[in-house]
Amino acid sequence: MTFKDLGLSAALVKAVEEKGYTKPSPIQEKAIPYILEGKDILASAQTGTGKTAGFTLPVLQYLSETKHPKYRPLRALVLTPTRELAAQVYDNVREYSKYVNIKSAVVFGGVNAKPQIATLKNGVDILVATPGRLLDLHDRKAVSFKRVDVLILDEADRMLDMGFVRDINKIISFMPEKRQNLMFSATFSNDIKKLAATILRNPVSVETAPQNSTAKKVTHKVYKVDKKQKTELAIKLIKDNNWTQVLVFTRTKHGANKLTEKLIKAGISAAAIHGNKSQGARTKALKNFKDNSIKILVATDIAARGLDIPLLPHVINFELPNVPEDYVHRIGRTGRAGAAGEAISFVCSEEVEYQSEIEKILKEKLNSSVLEGFEPTDTAPPKRAATQSKGSFGKKKKQRPSNGNPGSSSDDKRPKRKPHFKGNKPAGATSGRGRTGAPKKKRY
């Protein structure tokens, strides 16, 4: 099977091949034909399997085949939960559309809105956006959704976690009822299915791997260690093994900053990336990490969603996530596109139940060991048990809303809350089928 066999145009195939891809991945092979047929899609795939190209390529083909020679109303909208993912998807759109006459743009919070407004004023065919900034631009009448033919929700599960359902429903209420809807999610949770039922019409379900599965070439390793010795253990492993590129996960922004400072004091180049960092600082940190100017990137779960780092060899869970599915998302940063990777977790006595929950969804035991000189002596009870006794078992701690700090973005700091559904469908949700066709001769 080749990309040409999937029905893609010569211009798109050329752009794909220039990036070094000749054979479609399983998610691309399954999703692209259905999307080209105009069907709604509910798709789940492991991270790093090429799902972005899976929806970008067929949507670009549709836009290029139906584009009006003069007018450019917005006709395809991609919603993502974080700035980094929005930027990554936009880069893919630009690269794949280099040989077709399609204009694209990306908008997200944390940066000046004026250049984004100027870009939208000139007209774009496809827009990648985070919900918060997009609604702000709509309120300013800088963008119209009246001619949107295709809506794509990328990383829908994370958008639910971050409390974007109301924003998504509001955006949809401004759209035509007849449009194509594509939803991509790492998991098919009950909440995802509820959201899909309000947006998709007779969708085709596409799944290329069991839910919560990890890449086959990723090896898992657990070090039992006292909480107070985790930083020293991280420094020892990085130095002794001469690791040059490691993504480290912490549960909190404060923890990310604190660990970064200690790594730098130990002579290890490092930077932190999280929601309190300005977009400029986040972009710089990611760039320096990708070009190996720094060895260690310390990140929180929200900020790391969407990071695409080719051939990343190591991921360290400095602290295990209290939501087991997040473990899958974290280690999905390594072992991408068939490459090998190593996922290392530091587990103290308070986190043993987190480990058990992760093993349950992975359906496998994680290899545990103790490094000489770091033998654990802590006897603190598991945090999950303490949390459960307070009646909040399994719930994530809510983040505070944005405090208005100009260096922060509401896109990364929305309070986490349960999805909210009014009735069966949000206002304006699709009840018809098919696309609206070529734009009428009217400018928006």
PDB file of all heavy atoms in Angstrom, residues 8-21:
ATOM      1  N   LEU A   8      -4.683   9.786  -2.708  1.00  0.00           N
ATOM      2  CA  LEU A   8      -4.168  11.140  -2.546  1.00  0.00           C
ATOM      3  C   LEU A   8      -3.592  11.661  -3.857  1.00  0.00           C
ATOM      4  O   LEU A   8      -3.084  10.898  -4.684  1.00  0.00           O
ATOM      5  CB  LEU A   8      -3.091  11.168  -1.459  1.00  0.00           C
ATOM      6  CG  LEU A   8      -3.561  10.837  -0.048  1.00  0.00           C
ATOM      7  CD1 LEU A   8      -2.379  10.751   0.910  1.00  0.00           C
ATOM      8  CD2 LEU A   8      -4.565  11.879   0.448  1.00  0.00           C
ATOM      9  N   SER A   9      -3.633  12.980  -4.028  1.00  0.00           N
ATOM     10  CA  SER A   9      -3.160  13.614  -5.260  1.00  0.00           C
ATOM     11  C   SER A   9      -1.644  13.545  -5.361  1.00  0.00           C
ATOM     12  O   SER A   9      -0.938  13.357  -4.367  1.00  0.00           O
ATOM     13  CB  SER A   9      -3.605  15.074  -5.297  1.00  0.00           C
ATOM     14  OG  SER A   9      -2.955  15.822  -4.280  1.00  0.00           O
ATOM     15  N   ALA A  10      -1.152  13.746  -6.565  1.00  0.00           N
ATOM     16  CA  ALA A  10       0.296  13.690  -6.813  1.00  0.00           C
ATOM     17  C   ALA A  10       1.027  14.764  -6.014  1.00  0.00           C
ATOM     18  O   ALA A  10       2.145  14.538  -5.532  1.00  0.00           O
ATOM     19  CB  ALA A  10       0.576  13.859  -8.309  1.00  0.00           C
ATOM     20  N   ALA A  11       0.404  15.947  -5.874  1.00  0.00           N
ATOM     21  CA  ALA A  11       1.040  17.038  -5.141  1.00  0.00           C
ATOM     22  C   ALA A  11       1.232  16.679  -3.664  1.00  0.00           C
ATOM     23  O   ALA A  11       2.291  16.948  -3.080  1.00  0.00           O
ATOM     24  CB  ALA A  11       0.191  18.307  -5.261  1.00  0.00           C
ATOM     25  N   LEU A  12       0.235  16.042  -3.074  1.00  0.00           N
ATOM     26  CA  LEU A  12       0.344  15.649  -1.672  1.00  0.00           C
ATOM     27  C   LEU A  12       1.313  14.490  -1.488  1.00  0.00           C
ATOM     28  O   LEU A  12       2.094  14.465  -0.536  1.00  0.00           O
ATOM     29  CB  LEU A  12      -1.035  15.283  -1.122  1.00  0.00           C
ATOM     30  CG  LEU A  12      -2.028  16.444  -0.979  1.00  0.00           C
ATOM     31  CD1 LEU A  12      -3.404  15.930  -0.597  1.00  0.00           C
ATOM     32  CD2 LEU A  12      -1.541  17.452   0.060  1.00  0.00           C
ATOM     33  N   VAL A  13       1.270  13.534  -2.395  1.00  0.00           N
ATOM     34  CA  VAL A  13       2.197  12.401  -2.331  1.00  0.00           C
ATOM     35  C   VAL A  13       3.635  12.886  -2.420  1.00  0.00           C
ATOM     36  O   VAL A  13       4.518  12.419  -1.692  1.00  0.00           O
ATOM     37  CB  VAL A  13       1.896  11.389  -3.463  1.00  0.00           C
ATOM     38  CG1 VAL A  13       2.987  10.330  -3.524  1.00  0.00           C
ATOM     39  CG2 VAL A  13       0.537  10.729  -3.230  1.00  0.00           C
ATOM     40  N   LYS A  14       3.889  13.864  -3.292  1.00  0.00           N
ATOM     41  CA  LYS A  14       5.233  14.422  -3.443  1.00  0.00           C
ATOM     42  C   LYS A  14       5.708  15.050  -2.131  1.00  0.00           C
ATOM     43  O   LYS A  14       6.847  14.840  -1.703  1.00  0.00           O
ATOM     44  CB  LYS A  14       5.244  15.463  -4.565  1.00  0.00           C
ATOM     45  CG  LYS A  14       6.605  16.093  -4.817  1.00  0.00           C
ATOM     46  CD  LYS A  14       6.530  17.115  -5.957  1.00  0.00           C
ATOM     47  CE  LYS A  14       7.903  17.752  -6.196  1.00  0.00           C
ATOM     48  NZ  LYS A  14       7.839  18.782  -7.275  1.00  0.00           N
ATOM     49  N   ALA A  15       4.825  15.817  -1.483  1.00  0.00           N
ATOM     50  CA  ALA A  15       5.187  16.468  -0.222  1.00  0.00           C
ATOM     51  C   ALA A  15       5.466  15.442   0.866  1.00  0.00           C
ATOM     52  O   ALA A  15       6.400  15.596   1.663  1.00  0.00           O
ATOM     53  CB  ALA A  15       4.062  17.409   0.210  1.00  0.00           C
ATOM     54  N   VAL A  16       4.667  14.371   0.906  1.00  0.00           N
ATOM     55  CA  VAL A  16       4.862  13.321   1.905  1.00  0.00           C
ATOM     56  C   VAL A  16       6.189  12.605   1.680  1.00  0.00           C
ATOM     57  O   VAL A  16       6.955  12.365   2.620  1.00  0.00           O
ATOM     58  CB  VAL A  16       3.699  12.306   1.869  1.00  0.00           C
ATOM     59  CG1 VAL A  16       4.008  11.107   2.757  1.00  0.00           C
ATOM     60  CG2 VAL A  16       2.405  12.958   2.328  1.00  0.00           C
ATOM     61  N   GLU A  17       6.465  12.266   0.443  1.00  0.00           N
ATOM     62  CA  GLU A  17       7.700  11.531   0.126  1.00  0.00           C
ATOM     63  C   GLU A  17       8.937  12.366   0.408  1.00  0.00           C
ATOM     64  O   GLU A  17       9.997  11.833   0.766  1.00  0.00           O
ATOM     65  CB  GLU A  17       7.663  11.068  -1.320  1.00  0.00           C
ATOM     66  CG  GLU A  17       6.641   9.959  -1.570  1.00  0.00           C
ATOM     67  CD  GLU A  17       6.585   9.497  -3.018  1.00  0.00           C
ATOM     68  OE1 GLU A  17       7.123  10.230  -3.886  1.00  0.00           O
ATOM     69  OE2 GLU A  17       6.007   8.417  -3.266  1.00  0.00           O
ATOM     70  N   GLU A  18       8.830  13.685   0.260  1.00  0.00           N
ATOM     71  CA  GLU A  18       9.968  14.553   0.563  1.00  0.00           C
ATOM     72  C   GLU A  18      10.295  14.555   2.052  1.00  0.00           C
ATOM     73  O   GLU A  18      11.407  14.901   2.448  1.00  0.00           O
ATOM     74  CB  GLU A  18       9.692  15.977   0.077  1.00  0.00           C
ATOM     75  CG  GLU A  18       9.820  16.133  -1.429  1.00  0.00           C
ATOM     76  CD  GLU A  18       9.688  17.574  -1.875  1.00  0.00           C
ATOM     77  OE1 GLU A  18       9.478  18.453  -1.010  1.00  0.00           O
ATOM     78  OE2 GLU A  18       9.791  17.825  -3.087  1.00  0.00           O
ATOM     79  N   LYS A  19       9.325  14.185   2.877  1.00  0.00           N
ATOM     80  CA  LYS A  19       9.576  14.058   4.313  1.00  0.00           C
ATOM     81  C   LYS A  19      10.108  12.671   4.678  1.00  0.00           C
ATOM     82  O   LYS A  19      10.341  12.369   5.842  1.00  0.00           O
ATOM     83  CB  LYS A  19       8.287  14.338   5.095  1.00  0.00           C
ATOM     84  CG  LYS A  19       7.944  15.822   5.169  1.00  0.00           C
ATOM     85  CD  LYS A  19       6.674  16.067   5.957  1.00  0.00           C
ATOM     86  CE  LYS A  19       6.783  15.639   7.410  1.00  0.00           C
ATOM     87  NZ  LYS A  19       7.743  16.433   8.203  1.00  0.00           N
ATOM     88  N   GLY A  20      10.281  11.831   3.680  1.00  0.00           N
ATOM     89  CA  GLY A  20      10.868  10.516   3.897  1.00  0.00           C
ATOM     90  C   GLY A  20       9.885   9.400   4.120  1.00  0.00           C
ATOM     91  O   GLY A  20      10.272   8.293   4.508  1.00  0.00           O
ATOM     92  N   TYR A  21       8.581   9.656   3.885  1.00  0.00           N
ATOM     93  CA  TYR A  21       7.568   8.628   4.091  1.00  0.00           C
ATOM     94  C   TYR A  21       7.112   8.055   2.746  1.00  0.00           C
ATOM     95  O   TYR A  21       6.741   8.795   1.848  1.00  0.00           O
ATOM     96  CB  TYR A  21       6.353   9.199   4.833  1.00  0.00           C
ATOM     97  CG  TYR A  21       6.699   9.861   6.142  1.00  0.00           C
ATOM     98  CD1 TYR A  21       6.298  11.170   6.406  1.00  0.00           C
ATOM     99  CD2 TYR A  21       7.419   9.183   7.117  1.00  0.00           C
ATOM    100  CE1 TYR A  21       6.616  11.784   7.612  1.00  0.00           C
ATOM    101  CE2 TYR A  21       7.732   9.788   8.321  1.00  0.00           C
ATOM    102  CZ  TYR A  21       7.336  11.096   8.565  1.00  0.00           C
ATOM    103  OH  TYR A  21       7.649  11.695   9.752  1.00  0.00           O
TER     104      TYR A  21
END
